[in-house]
Amino acid sequence: MLLTDSDALFHISLARITFLKFEEKIFLSKNIDNSYNLSLLSIEEIEQLLHRSFKNPSVWNGKNNLREAEIALNHCKKLGIKILLHSDRDYPELLRQIDDPPYLLYCRGDQKLLSGRSVSVVGTRRLSPEGKKAARDFAYQAVVDGCNVVSGLASGADGFSHQGAVDAYFDYMEKGMDTLSLGKTIAVLPSGVDDIVPYTNKKLAAQILQSGGLLVSEYEPSSDTEKWHFVQRNRIIAGLSPATVVVEAPAGSGSLITADFALDMGRDVMFHRATFGELAKQIAQRLNSQLEAEHAQGKVSKYKVENRPEKFIEAGAPVISDYIDYKKCLAEAPGARLPLQGQLF
C-alpha cells in the first residue's frame, strides 16, 4: 500500500503511542480522521473512546507526539525507509497472528522477505567456539536451502547467524553462482532502522543490506532505544517464523524469553546440540552462579533464575544437530525425539 504523507503521518502518530494495545490503535484509526485531530485529544477523551482508564495520564502529550511523528516521517523520506502497515499485503501473516503484533514496521531492504519461508535463530551473547560455528553453519545451510534466517543483530549467536547467511550470499557471488534461489537474513532491531544497536554490528548490518536482506523495526527512526525495546523485539523475532532455534543460552538469557514467546504463540522451539557442549556448560554454570547470587540479593527475579534450557527440554523441546536435522525434526511427530536428560545435562 502506498501511503500519502498525510496517511503515513497519521499511522506513525498512532504506532508510537506505546500505552495503546494493537486493537485500540486499530479502533482509533477508524474513528479519527487525521494526525492533527489525534494530537488534539486529551487523555480523558482517549479513555472515553476506548472505555478504559490509564494508570499514568501524563504519558500522553498529543502535540509532542505529532512533532515526533513528523520528525520520523522526514527521516523515512530522507533515508528511503519503507513503512509497512499492518493491513498491507506484504505484512507477514505469521506476525499478524500473534496477540500484540506491531501496528506498523519500518523497513530497510527487501520487505517481501517477511512473508517468505523462515527460521528464527537466537542465543547467548557469550558463545563458546562450538556455538559460534553452530550458529554460523546453521544459518549458512538454511540460506542455501532457500530459507530466510531471522535474528536480532545482537552480539553472539545473533551476529554469527546473520554472518552465516551473508557469507553464503558472498560465497555464491564470488563463485559466479546464481544467488536468486538463496534465502536471505532478516535483522529485527530494538532501535530505529537508522541506528544499529550494538554499534559494533554496523558493518554486518551493511552486509545484510548488500546481500539482499532486511533490517526491520517497530520503532521509528531517530527515536531513543529503551531497555524494554529488547524484550518487545524478541516477540517479533519469534512471531516471524514457525520455529525458533536456540544456540546456547544460560539461565536468564534473553534468547529464552524469545523461546517463551514462541511457545506462547504455538510455534516450535528447538535447541541446537551446541547448547549442551562442555565449554557451553562451563560458561552457563558460571553465569548461573552469578545470577543466583544476584537473585539472593534481590537484584533479579526468580523467573530469570529458573528460565533455563533444562526447563524447555523437560517440557519436550527437541534437540537438533544442524539445519538438515532441523528440517527432519519439523517433519517428525511431536515427542518423537525426546532426549534422556542424562545425555545432555
Side-chain angles (χ1 to χ4, degrees):
M1 178 189 301
L2 291 176
L3 297 174
T4 64
D5 284 358
S6 176
D7 286 341
L9 183 61
F10 179 44
H11 291 300
I12 291 172
S13 297
L14 273 173
R16 66 183 317 280
I17 306 177
T18 57
F19 59 83
L20 294 182
K21 302 174 184 177
F22 174 76
E23 294 81 3
E24 292 172 337
K25 294 175 183 178
I26 298 292
F27 177 83
L28 291 180
S29 72
K30 295 178 179 178
N31 289 274
I32 299 172
D33 293 333
N34 53 57
S35 55
Y36 179 71
N37 287 341
L38 175 65
S39 72
L40 294 179
L41 290 178
S42 67
I43 190 66
E44 291 78 15
E45 288 170 324
I46 295 176
E47 289 176 335
Q48 289 174 7
L49 283 169
L50 300 177
H51 303 290
R52 77 176 177 102
S53 59
F54 300 102
K55 295 180 180 179
N56 183 12
S58 65
V59 297
W60 173 245
N61 185 312
K63 292 182 179 179
N64 284 347
N65 186 65
L66 178 57
R67 182 166 56 250
E68 293 297 328
E70 290 171 338
I71 293 172
L73 178 59
N74 287 333
H75 273 77
C76 287
K77 294 168 66 176
K78 180 180 178 181
L79 300 175
I81 296 168
K82 290 166 282 189
I83 299 171
L84 188 60
L85 194 60
H86 64 89
S87 56
D88 286 348
R89 181 180 59 185
D90 288 340
Y91 192 97
E93 183 57 34
L94 278 176
L95 190 60
R96 190 182 279 120
Q97 293 171 3
I98 73 174
D99 286 341
D100 186 28
Y103 182 77
L104 59 76
L105 295 168
Y106 298 93
C107 302
R108 289 181 66 193
D110 186 0
Q111 65 192 47
K112 293 185 183 300
L113 296 176
L114 293 169
S115 298
R117 183 163 61 97
S118 65
V119 58
S120 296
V121 184
V122 296
T124 182
R125 288 170 170 78
R126 303 182 187 181
L127 279 179
S128 70
E130 182 184 1
K132 293 175 182 178
K133 185 176 186 303
R136 182 195 175 276
D137 289 354
F138 183 94
Y140 193 107
Q141 293 169 353
V143 165
V144 168
D145 188 50
C147 183
N148 299 323
V149 174
V150 180
S151 198
L153 202 62
S155 302
D158 291 20
F160 281 96
S161 299
H162 291 305
Q163 193 64 62
V166 299
D167 283 350
Y169 173 84
F170 289 118
D171 284 352
Y172 269 55
M173 285 286 290
E174 185 178 345
K175 296 174 183 176
M177 299 171 66
D178 180 21
T179 61
L180 293 178
S181 63
L182 295 177
K184 300 294 187 292
T185 189
I186 300 168
V188 185
L189 302 180
S191 59
V193 291
D194 61 330
D195 180 25
I196 304 305
V197 175
Y199 182 80
T200 50
N201 276 342
K202 187 173 182 179
K203 179 181 177 181
L204 178 56
Q207 291 178 326
I208 290 172
L209 294 176
Q210 290 166 11
S211 63
L214 175 69
L215 306 181
V216 62
S217 175
E218 66 179 320
Y219 304 110
E220 71 268 20
S222 78
S223 62
D224 293 332
T225 304
E226 307 289 348
K227 287 185 178 180
W228 57 270
H229 287 183
F230 291 84
V231 173
Q232 288 296 93
R233 177 269 307 273
N234 291 351
R235 88 189 193 288
I236 299 178
I237 295 174
L240 283 172
S241 300
T244 293
V245 174
V246 182
V247 182
E248 293 190 22
S253 170
S255 58
L256 297 180
I257 297 177
T258 308
D260 275 331
F261 275 129
L263 290 178
D264 289 343
M265 296 169 187
R267 313 290 170 83
D268 288 324
V269 172
M270 305 179 193
F271 282 78
H272 197 288
R273 187 165 292 277
T275 305
F276 309 101
E278 286 306 313
L279 187 53
K281 287 182 182 179
Q282 294 175 24
I283 295 172
Q285 288 170 358
R286 184 168 65 252
L287 294 174
N288 292 350
S289 297
Q290 179 182 337
L291 200 62
E292 288 172 353
E294 292 175 350
H295 173 60
Q297 298 168 13
K299 295 181 179 179
V300 299
S301 66
K302 187 177 181 181
Y303 164 79
K304 263 200 165 186
V305 175
E306 295 180 345
N307 205 30
R308 308 179 179 212
E310 294 89 332
K311 180 191 79 171
F312 294 88
I313 299 302
E314 290 165 1
V319 177
I320 53 102
S321 56
D322 55 24
Y323 176 73
I324 295 173
D325 194 31
Y326 158 80
K327 289 185 69 177
K328 290 180 181 177
C329 188
L330 280 181
E332 292 171 356
R337 59 168 73 195
L338 292 181
L340 296 175
Q341 291 185 33
Q343 294 178 322
L344 299 174
F345 310 136

